[in-house]
Each structure stands twice: as C-alpha cells, then as structure tokens.
Amino acid sequence: MTGLIMKFAPIGVFGLIAWVAGTQDSELLVSLLQLIACLYLACILHIIIVYGGLLKFATGLSVFKFFKKIVPAQLMAYSTASSAATLPVTMQVAETKLGVSKVTSSFVLPLGTTVNMDGTALYQGICVIFVANGLGYDLTTADYVTIVLTSTLASIGSAGVPGAGLIMLSLVLSSVGLPSAEVIGLIAGVDRIMDMMRTTVNVTGDSVVALIVDKHEKTLNEEMFNDAPSTVSS
Ligand code: ASP
C-alpha cells in the first residue's frame, strides 16, 4: 500500500506546490522557499553534527559506516514522510546491517518512532520563528524558552504519520500568542516537502539511539557493523 501511495506522491506534492504558487503572491512564495531551505540546512547539520557527534562519542563507532548503512531507511523515510511506515525498514537495517540486537531494536525503534522526533521539534521551532519574523512580532527570551519546551513536547506528542507535526504546530504557535489557523493553512501547501526531511531526521535519530543503547547493553554485533568477518567459528 505504501509503495502504491508513493507512486502517486510526486503528483500530490506537485499539486500542493502548484496551489501555493498559483494562489499566493511571489513574495510569500520566496519566503516559503527560504523556510524550506532553512529547515533542510538545519536538518542536515543536525544529522551530521548532533547524530554524528553523539554516535562517535557514545559508541566510538565509525560515523561514515553508519551514514552509509542507514541510507535505505532514510530514503524510505524521505519518500513516505512517515516514521511509522518506515519502521519495518529501520528495524531491518538496524538488525541486518548495523548489528543491533533484535531485543534492542524491537524495543527502542518502535518507542523512538512514537516519541523521538528531533526533526519535528526543529521544524516547529523554525516555523514559529519564521511566522514571528513575518508578522513583525518581537520574541523575548521567555518566548524562546517556551518555544523550545512546547516544540519538544509537541514533537513527543506527534504521531509518526505524514502531517502530524503540522497539526501540533498550532500548539507551539499559540503558546507564544501567534495566530495558528491562518499560518497552518499557509504552511500546509509546502509542508510535505518539509515533512519528508524532518521524518528522515526522526528515523536517523531512532537508529542512532538504538545503536547507543545496544552498545551500552553490550549486545551490539560490532563485526556486522564493521563488515568484519565473524570471529565465531561455524
Ligand atoms: N511525519 C513525521 C514522522 O512520521 C511526523 C511529523 O509530521 O513531523 O516522523
């Protein structure tokens, strides 16, 4: 079913963008493109710096190997925009390529799919700042703290399905007194493009956590992770 939906996804995304391009003025379109570019940049930096750094410092494993092996799960996340739909692929990659034990992957990954959504929190934070700037609303330090707290909570509360983060965005917007209904209608047209990227971050984060937990539990198959020939004689 996911495969079938994905065949139609480009047409759907095209339709959404065409609607935004056709109904909004060019200035708004440029702002929305800047928002998308900003989110993509933040997500890429988050994956490389935060996840790469976390993996290196917490496990000592090769970051390059991890990024090479996680690609199938990332591609599935990017194309479906759903952590839940990607879960079977994430678990398969974790167990057959990263060397994560079945016990760890079957506990950490489904849990991460529901609560660990860094990409969604990043997206909500960026969107709120984008809206505040657009409306000329001056955010105070207390507002920034509120944004951090509410976007973290809203991301935990978001389901691993497409568009969940957009619905929870209204919570973050109203927490600092910004209008939510109009803004959500505006962002909805380009949300799918951002959803694809934030889901990729979410899925990558779940896999990093699974590796860290498994290493800590001493059940990680490092030979599999390093593609080294197994030392267990048959
Ligand atoms: N689509 C995201 C996910 O499945 C959730 C969101 O909308 O941010 O991880």
Side-chain angles (χ1 to χ4, degrees), residues 17 29-42 126 130 189-191 193-194 197:
I17 303 300
L29 206 63
V30 170
S31 303
L32 286 173
L33 288 176
Q34 283 171 342
L35 172 68
I36 296 171
C38 183
L39 180 87
Y40 270 61
L41 183 68
I126 290 173
F130 166 80
V190 291
D191 185 65
I193 303 172
M194 295 193 277
M197 192 63 192

PDB file of all heavy atoms in Angstrom, residues 17 29-42 126 130 189-191 193-194 197:
ATOM      1  N   ILE A  17       2.157  22.252  -4.277  1.00  0.00           N
ATOM      2  CA  ILE A  17       3.032  23.390  -4.582  1.00  0.00           C
ATOM      3  C   ILE A  17       2.391  24.269  -5.650  1.00  0.00           C
ATOM      4  O   ILE A  17       2.455  25.499  -5.585  1.00  0.00           O
ATOM      5  CB  ILE A  17       4.427  22.904  -5.079  1.00  0.00           C
ATOM      6  CG1 ILE A  17       5.068  21.996  -4.039  1.00  0.00           C
ATOM      7  CG2 ILE A  17       5.362  24.074  -5.383  1.00  0.00           C
ATOM      8  CD1 ILE A  17       5.287  22.621  -2.709  1.00  0.00           C
ATOM      9  N   LEU A  29       5.852  33.308  -1.688  1.00  0.00           N
ATOM     10  CA  LEU A  29       6.446  32.078  -2.219  1.00  0.00           C
ATOM     11  C   LEU A  29       7.943  32.034  -1.925  1.00  0.00           C
ATOM     12  O   LEU A  29       8.485  31.005  -1.509  1.00  0.00           O
ATOM     13  CB  LEU A  29       6.194  32.030  -3.732  1.00  0.00           C
ATOM     14  CG  LEU A  29       6.159  30.647  -4.347  1.00  0.00           C
ATOM     15  CD1 LEU A  29       5.019  29.841  -3.779  1.00  0.00           C
ATOM     16  CD2 LEU A  29       6.005  30.762  -5.860  1.00  0.00           C
ATOM     17  N   VAL A  30       8.591  33.185  -2.107  1.00  0.00           N
ATOM     18  CA  VAL A  30      10.030  33.272  -1.833  1.00  0.00           C
ATOM     19  C   VAL A  30      10.278  33.009  -0.340  1.00  0.00           C
ATOM     20  O   VAL A  30      11.184  32.267   0.038  1.00  0.00           O
ATOM     21  CB  VAL A  30      10.593  34.653  -2.264  1.00  0.00           C
ATOM     22  CG1 VAL A  30      12.018  34.847  -1.778  1.00  0.00           C
ATOM     23  CG2 VAL A  30      10.531  34.790  -3.780  1.00  0.00           C
ATOM     24  N   SER A  31       9.428  33.585   0.520  1.00  0.00           N
ATOM     25  CA  SER A  31       9.585  33.371   1.968  1.00  0.00           C
ATOM     26  C   SER A  31       9.418  31.898   2.312  1.00  0.00           C
ATOM     27  O   SER A  31      10.174  31.346   3.116  1.00  0.00           O
ATOM     28  CB  SER A  31       8.535  34.150   2.750  1.00  0.00           C
ATOM     29  OG  SER A  31       8.625  35.481   2.446  1.00  0.00           O
ATOM     30  N   LEU A  32       8.449  31.248   1.675  1.00  0.00           N
ATOM     31  CA  LEU A  32       8.226  29.826   1.963  1.00  0.00           C
ATOM     32  C   LEU A  32       9.422  28.986   1.475  1.00  0.00           C
ATOM     33  O   LEU A  32       9.822  28.029   2.135  1.00  0.00           O
ATOM     34  CB  LEU A  32       6.931  29.334   1.310  1.00  0.00           C
ATOM     35  CG  LEU A  32       5.633  29.813   1.989  1.00  0.00           C
ATOM     36  CD1 LEU A  32       4.421  29.426   1.169  1.00  0.00           C
ATOM     37  CD2 LEU A  32       5.501  29.280   3.402  1.00  0.00           C
ATOM     38  N   LEU A  33       9.984  29.389   0.338  1.00  0.00           N
ATOM     39  CA  LEU A  33      11.165  28.670  -0.164  1.00  0.00           C
ATOM     40  C   LEU A  33      12.347  28.847   0.794  1.00  0.00           C
ATOM     41  O   LEU A  33      13.117  27.921   1.035  1.00  0.00           O
ATOM     42  CB  LEU A  33      11.541  29.153  -1.572  1.00  0.00           C
ATOM     43  CG  LEU A  33      10.583  28.710  -2.686  1.00  0.00           C
ATOM     44  CD1 LEU A  33      10.986  29.303  -4.020  1.00  0.00           C
ATOM     45  CD2 LEU A  33      10.529  27.181  -2.802  1.00  0.00           C
ATOM     46  N   GLN A  34      12.449  30.054   1.359  1.00  0.00           N
ATOM     47  CA  GLN A  34      13.521  30.308   2.336  1.00  0.00           C
ATOM     48  C   GLN A  34      13.310  29.450   3.586  1.00  0.00           C
ATOM     49  O   GLN A  34      14.257  28.916   4.150  1.00  0.00           O
ATOM     50  CB  GLN A  34      13.551  31.786   2.718  1.00  0.00           C
ATOM     51  CG  GLN A  34      14.187  32.645   1.648  1.00  0.00           C
ATOM     52  CD  GLN A  34      14.025  34.124   1.930  1.00  0.00           C
ATOM     53  OE1 GLN A  34      13.168  34.536   2.723  1.00  0.00           O
ATOM     54  NE2 GLN A  34      14.829  34.940   1.269  1.00  0.00           N
ATOM     55  N   LEU A  35      12.041  29.312   3.976  1.00  0.00           N
ATOM     56  CA  LEU A  35      11.715  28.484   5.143  1.00  0.00           C
ATOM     57  C   LEU A  35      12.135  27.032   4.881  1.00  0.00           C
ATOM     58  O   LEU A  35      12.762  26.391   5.731  1.00  0.00           O
ATOM     59  CB  LEU A  35      10.204  28.573   5.433  1.00  0.00           C
ATOM     60  CG  LEU A  35       9.657  27.627   6.491  1.00  0.00           C
ATOM     61  CD1 LEU A  35      10.190  27.995   7.876  1.00  0.00           C
ATOM     62  CD2 LEU A  35       8.123  27.649   6.518  1.00  0.00           C
ATOM     63  N   ILE A  36      11.816  26.538   3.687  1.00  0.00           N
ATOM     64  CA  ILE A  36      12.172  25.153   3.339  1.00  0.00           C
ATOM     65  C   ILE A  36      13.698  24.995   3.346  1.00  0.00           C
ATOM     66  O   ILE A  36      14.231  24.050   3.919  1.00  0.00           O
ATOM     67  CB  ILE A  36      11.597  24.770   1.951  1.00  0.00           C
ATOM     68  CG1 ILE A  36      10.070  24.802   1.989  1.00  0.00           C
ATOM     69  CG2 ILE A  36      12.087  23.395   1.516  1.00  0.00           C
ATOM     70  CD1 ILE A  36       9.405  24.661   0.625  1.00  0.00           C
ATOM     71  N   ALA A  37      14.392  25.960   2.727  1.00  0.00           N
ATOM     72  CA  ALA A  37      15.861  25.875   2.657  1.00  0.00           C
ATOM     73  C   ALA A  37      16.457  25.889   4.054  1.00  0.00           C
ATOM     74  O   ALA A  37      17.386  25.120   4.363  1.00  0.00           O
ATOM     75  CB  ALA A  37      16.400  27.046   1.835  1.00  0.00           C
ATOM     76  N   CYS A  38      15.902  26.728   4.923  1.00  0.00           N
ATOM     77  CA  CYS A  38      16.393  26.846   6.297  1.00  0.00           C
ATOM     78  C   CYS A  38      16.193  25.522   7.043  1.00  0.00           C
ATOM     79  O   CYS A  38      17.099  25.041   7.733  1.00  0.00           O
ATOM     80  CB  CYS A  38      15.642  27.985   6.968  1.00  0.00           C
ATOM     81  SG  CYS A  38      16.173  28.307   8.611  1.00  0.00           S
ATOM     82  N   LEU A  39      15.029  24.907   6.848  1.00  0.00           N
ATOM     83  CA  LEU A  39      14.761  23.640   7.535  1.00  0.00           C
ATOM     84  C   LEU A  39      15.695  22.544   7.025  1.00  0.00           C
ATOM     85  O   LEU A  39      16.246  21.762   7.815  1.00  0.00           O
ATOM     86  CB  LEU A  39      13.301  23.217   7.337  1.00  0.00           C
ATOM     87  CG  LEU A  39      13.021  21.896   8.043  1.00  0.00           C
ATOM     88  CD1 LEU A  39      12.637  22.125   9.490  1.00  0.00           C
ATOM     89  CD2 LEU A  39      11.986  21.065   7.351  1.00  0.00           C
ATOM     90  N   TYR A  40      15.892  22.485   5.702  1.00  0.00           N
ATOM     91  CA  TYR A  40      16.777  21.445   5.146  1.00  0.00           C
ATOM     92  C   TYR A  40      18.192  21.606   5.696  1.00  0.00           C
ATOM     93  O   TYR A  40      18.838  20.635   6.059  1.00  0.00           O
ATOM     94  CB  TYR A  40      16.771  21.502   3.608  1.00  0.00           C
ATOM     95  CG  TYR A  40      15.699  20.619   3.003  1.00  0.00           C
ATOM     96  CD1 TYR A  40      14.351  20.842   3.284  1.00  0.00           C
ATOM     97  CD2 TYR A  40      16.019  19.554   2.182  1.00  0.00           C
ATOM     98  CE1 TYR A  40      13.362  20.032   2.750  1.00  0.00           C
ATOM     99  CE2 TYR A  40      15.034  18.724   1.653  1.00  0.00           C
ATOM    100  CZ  TYR A  40      13.703  18.976   1.935  1.00  0.00           C
ATOM    101  OH  TYR A  40      12.727  18.154   1.417  1.00  0.00           O
ATOM    102  N   LEU A  41      18.652  22.857   5.749  1.00  0.00           N
ATOM    103  CA  LEU A  41      20.007  23.108   6.246  1.00  0.00           C
ATOM    104  C   LEU A  41      20.119  22.675   7.713  1.00  0.00           C
ATOM    105  O   LEU A  41      21.063  21.980   8.108  1.00  0.00           O
ATOM    106  CB  LEU A  41      20.344  24.598   6.091  1.00  0.00           C
ATOM    107  CG  LEU A  41      21.752  24.996   6.507  1.00  0.00           C
ATOM    108  CD1 LEU A  41      22.772  24.383   5.540  1.00  0.00           C
ATOM    109  CD2 LEU A  41      21.918  26.512   6.506  1.00  0.00           C
ATOM    110  N   ALA A  42      19.104  23.067   8.514  1.00  0.00           N
ATOM    111  CA  ALA A  42      19.123  22.712   9.941  1.00  0.00           C
ATOM    112  C   ALA A  42      19.111  21.194  10.121  1.00  0.00           C
ATOM    113  O   ALA A  42      19.837  20.650  10.959  1.00  0.00           O
ATOM    114  CB  ALA A  42      17.926  23.347  10.646  1.00  0.00           C
ATOM    115  N   ILE A 126      11.546  26.297  13.980  1.00  0.00           N
ATOM    116  CA  ILE A 126      11.874  27.155  12.832  1.00  0.00           C
ATOM    117  C   ILE A 126      10.612  27.845  12.296  1.00  0.00           C
ATOM    118  O   ILE A 126      10.618  29.040  11.994  1.00  0.00           O
ATOM    119  CB  ILE A 126      12.582  26.336  11.727  1.00  0.00           C
ATOM    120  CG1 ILE A 126      13.988  25.950  12.190  1.00  0.00           C
ATOM    121  CG2 ILE A 126      12.663  27.110  10.413  1.00  0.00           C
ATOM    122  CD1 ILE A 126      14.723  25.005  11.275  1.00  0.00           C
ATOM    123  N   PHE A 130       9.871  31.802  12.012  1.00  0.00           N
ATOM    124  CA  PHE A 130       9.549  32.314  10.673  1.00  0.00           C
ATOM    125  C   PHE A 130       8.264  33.163  10.718  1.00  0.00           C
ATOM    126  O   PHE A 130       8.201  34.275  10.196  1.00  0.00           O
ATOM    127  CB  PHE A 130       9.384  31.116   9.729  1.00  0.00           C
ATOM    128  CG  PHE A 130       8.730  31.418   8.410  1.00  0.00           C
ATOM    129  CD1 PHE A 130       9.448  31.993   7.369  1.00  0.00           C
ATOM    130  CD2 PHE A 130       7.393  31.104   8.195  1.00  0.00           C
ATOM    131  CE1 PHE A 130       8.846  32.254   6.155  1.00  0.00           C
ATOM    132  CE2 PHE A 130       6.774  31.364   6.983  1.00  0.00           C
ATOM    133  CZ  PHE A 130       7.499  31.948   5.961  1.00  0.00           C
ATOM    134  N   GLY A 189       0.610  24.045   2.325  1.00  0.00           N
ATOM    135  CA  GLY A 189       0.922  23.840   0.912  1.00  0.00           C
ATOM    136  C   GLY A 189       2.320  23.316   0.662  1.00  0.00           C
ATOM    137  O   GLY A 189       2.564  22.606  -0.315  1.00  0.00           O
ATOM    138  N   VAL A 190       3.251  23.704   1.522  1.00  0.00           N
ATOM    139  CA  VAL A 190       4.633  23.260   1.312  1.00  0.00           C
ATOM    140  C   VAL A 190       5.068  22.293   2.419  1.00  0.00           C
ATOM    141  O   VAL A 190       6.235  21.918   2.488  1.00  0.00           O
ATOM    142  CB  VAL A 190       5.617  24.461   1.269  1.00  0.00           C
ATOM    143  CG1 VAL A 190       5.401  25.280   0.004  1.00  0.00           C
ATOM    144  CG2 VAL A 190       5.497  25.343   2.498  1.00  0.00           C
ATOM    145  N   ASP A 191       4.125  21.911   3.272  1.00  0.00           N
ATOM    146  CA  ASP A 191       4.507  21.096   4.428  1.00  0.00           C
ATOM    147  C   ASP A 191       5.082  19.740   4.048  1.00  0.00           C
ATOM    148  O   ASP A 191       5.996  19.239   4.693  1.00  0.00           O
ATOM    149  CB  ASP A 191       3.313  20.905   5.363  1.00  0.00           C
ATOM    150  CG  ASP A 191       3.711  20.168   6.615  1.00  0.00           C
ATOM    151  OD1 ASP A 191       4.512  20.721   7.381  1.00  0.00           O
ATOM    152  OD2 ASP A 191       3.265  19.017   6.807  1.00  0.00           O
ATOM    153  N   ILE A 193       7.031  18.794   1.710  1.00  0.00           N
ATOM    154  CA  ILE A 193       8.465  18.836   1.400  1.00  0.00           C
ATOM    155  C   ILE A 193       9.274  18.883   2.698  1.00  0.00           C
ATOM    156  O   ILE A 193      10.327  18.257   2.815  1.00  0.00           O
ATOM    157  CB  ILE A 193       8.797  20.071   0.534  1.00  0.00           C
ATOM    158  CG1 ILE A 193       7.962  20.033  -0.742  1.00  0.00           C
ATOM    159  CG2 ILE A 193      10.265  20.131   0.197  1.00  0.00           C
ATOM    160  CD1 ILE A 193       8.065  21.284  -1.564  1.00  0.00           C
ATOM    161  N   MET A 194       8.766  19.622   3.670  1.00  0.00           N
ATOM    162  CA  MET A 194       9.478  19.714   4.945  1.00  0.00           C
ATOM    163  C   MET A 194       9.276  18.434   5.759  1.00  0.00           C
ATOM    164  O   MET A 194      10.175  17.989   6.473  1.00  0.00           O
ATOM    165  CB  MET A 194       8.992  20.938   5.728  1.00  0.00           C
ATOM    166  CG  MET A 194       9.343  22.230   5.019  1.00  0.00           C
ATOM    167  SD  MET A 194       9.119  23.672   6.055  1.00  0.00           S
ATOM    168  CE  MET A 194       7.369  23.943   5.855  1.00  0.00           C
ATOM    169  N   MET A 197      11.805  15.726   4.954  1.00  0.00           N
ATOM    170  CA  MET A 197      13.127  15.910   5.548  1.00  0.00           C
ATOM    171  C   MET A 197      13.116  15.675   7.055  1.00  0.00           C
ATOM    172  O   MET A 197      14.016  15.044   7.612  1.00  0.00           O
ATOM    173  CB  MET A 197      13.620  17.338   5.230  1.00  0.00           C
ATOM    174  CG  MET A 197      15.070  17.539   5.540  1.00  0.00           C
ATOM    175  SD  MET A 197      16.073  16.445   4.507  1.00  0.00           S
ATOM    176  CE  MET A 197      17.647  16.580   5.290  1.00  0.00           C
TER     177      MET A 197
END
